[in-house]
Amino acid sequence: MDTHVVAGGGLTAAKAAETLRAEGFAGRIVIVGAEPDLPYERPPLSKGYLLGQDDRASVFVHDEKWYADQGIEVLTGRRVTALDRAAHEVELDGGERLGYTKLLLATGASPRRLRVPGNDLDGVHYLRRLSHADRLREALRAGGRVVVAGAGWIGLETAAAARTYGCEVTIVEPAPSPLHATLGPELGGFFAGLHRRHGVELRLGTGVTGFAGDTTVTAVRTDTGEIPADVVIVGIGARPETQLAEEAGLAVDDGVCVDAALRTEDPDIFAAGDVASVWNPAYGRRIRVEHWAAATNGGPAAARSMLGREPAYDDLPYFFSDQYDAGMEFTGWFPPGGYDRVVTRGGDEAFHAFWLAGDRVVAGLHVNQWDEGLDAVRELIRSGRPVDAAALADPARPLPS
């Protein structure tokens, strides 16, 4: 019997297994996940679940009965520790070996750690797993002084959650604006203003040098002084879990290198989700995206490729965020320095923004513009058509025009 194995137990794995069955694969499917829980979605961990708005059951992709009904084996609390390409086997942490016909690497990413004194003190939180969100939610419910290290998406969303719980919040960020590397200073200023209006203190251009405390954190040390803290949240990015692929001799750069069909140079091994560095024909290069869409779309695309359907996975990168009363969606991509200007249309609290390289749109975002959304933005990006920046900025001109 053909056996398709998925190394990793997150959303990518669940969507891949679901698609394998939906597309008619009748063989054995085994998901090997390091966490003790069934596959779940991660966005609620810094949004609704962290805020107590979503219950625990709502974060899971499927319940246990669904996997049983589909004949999908889910090994929770287990880890693939080695990959034998010649034997078509993976080794698990208990020493047993599992043969595969096709293998999907969906090992995801892990939070980057702050390598500073005191980083192992109680009260210093990272957010990646459901168990992390459980501990952080209890800490925020207790109130007190919260210091967030990093003004990326995780940092900003957890800061918003902490303020919603009534905590006193300070964000420490070495860049000159929030989301500086992701969105640039133009939109970083909007998010800085949003958090300041909600009572957050931002210390920009400031680095964390250590954490103070005996066993529990009491302060964050920065290059401009100490900040008292009862809770610290570190959100400085994530690194892809590429060790399995590297040790097996597969090509790795920022992630596991795959083609547009999500296939590695080994024709029987695929990669998708946060761990995959995917060839994107629209940009003519590999791109790794650490967001929900990479999992929910990449998992099914990898499954179809495992079945020999050779799909071209050319989805535009996409992510969304909710902070206070601001909901936003972003699509597209640009490298550092890969745009010339940002054009906005709309008001201060509901608007679109477009990143232009020359006279072409390479990325777009909206804040609270749910009626128009991103469909027209995606079409502008994909078409590569030159645009009139003045018309783009004019709210009287419909975006599709």
Side-chain angles (χ1 to χ4, degrees):
M1 176 188 294
D2 285 349
T3 299
H4 288 2
V5 173
V6 184
L11 176 60
T12 302
K15 300 306 286 186
E18 174 186 304
T19 303
L20 286 172
R21 284 289 184 249
E23 295 284 331
F25 179 67
R28 186 184 182 194
I29 301 173
V30 184
I31 296 173
V32 184
E35 296 187 52
D37 301 295
L38 292 172
Y40 58 86
E41 304 205 28
R42 297 191 192 277
L45 304 191
S46 60
K47 300 179 178 70
Y49 184 73
L50 185 61
L51 286 165
Q53 298 166 348
D54 301 334
D55 64 25
R56 189 179 182 86
S58 70
V59 307
F60 294 101
V61 186
H62 300 295
D63 61 19
E64 191 170 352
K65 181 178 185 302
W66 183 90
Y67 291 102
D69 290 345
Q70 294 294 318
I72 297 169
E73 301 170 48
V74 185
L75 308 182
T76 57
R78 305 297 305 277
R79 187 184 298 274
V80 174
T81 57
L83 166 55
D84 187 335
R85 292 167 57 189
H88 271 61
E89 291 179 337
V90 295
E91 184 174 314
L92 306 186
D93 48 5
E96 62 265 50
R97 296 171 73 89
L98 177 63
Y100 67 84
T101 309
K102 303 289 184 184
L103 172 67
L104 174 61
L105 299 177
T107 45
S110 297
R112 294 189 183 279
R113 300 275 166 171
L114 260 179
R115 305 297 180 185
V116 297
N119 65 352
D120 58 346
L121 289 171
D122 289 342
V124 177
H125 295 261
Y126 292 82
L127 183 58
R128 180 70 185 179
R129 296 186 169 193
L130 190 53
S131 58
H132 297 164
D134 288 335
R135 290 194 293 272
L136 180 57
R137 186 165 65 173
E138 290 308 306
L140 296 182
R141 281 175 171 166
R145 300 161 299 182
V146 176
V147 177
V148 180
W153 295 115
I154 291 294
L156 295 182
E157 290 178 358
T158 55
R163 283 299 295 142
T164 302
Y165 278 112
C167 301
E168 177 185 320
V169 180
T170 302
I171 296 176
V172 181
E173 167 58 52
S177 67
L179 301 165
H180 194 80
T182 305
L183 302 182
E186 299 87 353
L187 269 293
F190 166 78
F191 286 98
L194 173 67
H195 281 267
R196 287 184 176 123
R197 289 194 300 275
H198 284 84
V200 175
E201 180 184 354
L202 275 76
R203 298 200 184 184
L204 303 173
T206 303
V208 173
T209 59
F211 303 118
D214 292 329
T215 58
T216 301
V217 68
T218 58
V220 175
R221 295 186 174 122
T222 77
D223 47 26
T224 60
E226 280 195 0
I227 307 170
D230 304 299
V231 176
V232 173
I233 304 167
V234 180
I236 58 170
R239 59 174 184 80
E241 291 285 359
T242 59
Q243 185 176 351
L244 266 181
E246 290 181 74
E247 292 177 350
L250 297 171
V252 170
D253 51 26
D254 178 45
V256 179
C257 296
V258 294
D259 60 18
L262 301 174
R263 180 178 47 219
T264 68
E265 69 265 42
D266 185 317
D268 294 327
I269 301 177
F270 305 75
D274 291 358
V275 76
S277 180
V278 184
W279 178 261
N280 190 303
Y283 295 107
R285 60 175 291 168
R286 286 191 175 90
I287 298 172
R288 189 175 69 86
V289 179
E290 293 176 359
H291 295 287
W292 169 87
T296 198
N297 298 328
R304 295 185 183 100
S305 191
M306 293 165 78
L307 297 175
R309 312 256 164 102
E310 299 284 330
Y313 179 66
D314 62 353
D315 288 17
L316 291 174
Y318 164 86
F319 58 86
F320 65 96
S321 181
D322 297 309
Q323 299 167 42
Y324 311 110
D325 53 355
M328 62 77 60
E329 295 180 295
F330 176 96
T331 190
W333 179 85
F334 50 84
Y339 68 95
D340 303 317
R341 55 182 165 162
V342 177
V343 174
T344 60
R345 61 187 274 145
D348 293 334
E349 297 181 2
F351 61 89
H352 275 90
F354 306 88
W355 284 258
L356 272 65
D359 56 2
R360 288 171 169 78
V361 177
V362 295
L365 165 152
H366 84 80
V367 174
N368 292 339
Q369 290 279 35
W370 299 104
D371 290 341
E372 290 184 285
L374 289 179
D375 288 345
V377 180
R378 291 188 180 95
E379 201 279 327
L380 281 172
I381 296 170
R382 287 192 179 279
S383 73
R385 293 196 310 266
V387 298
D388 181 330
L392 194 62
D394 183 359
R397 291 284 300 272
L399 273 179
S401 72

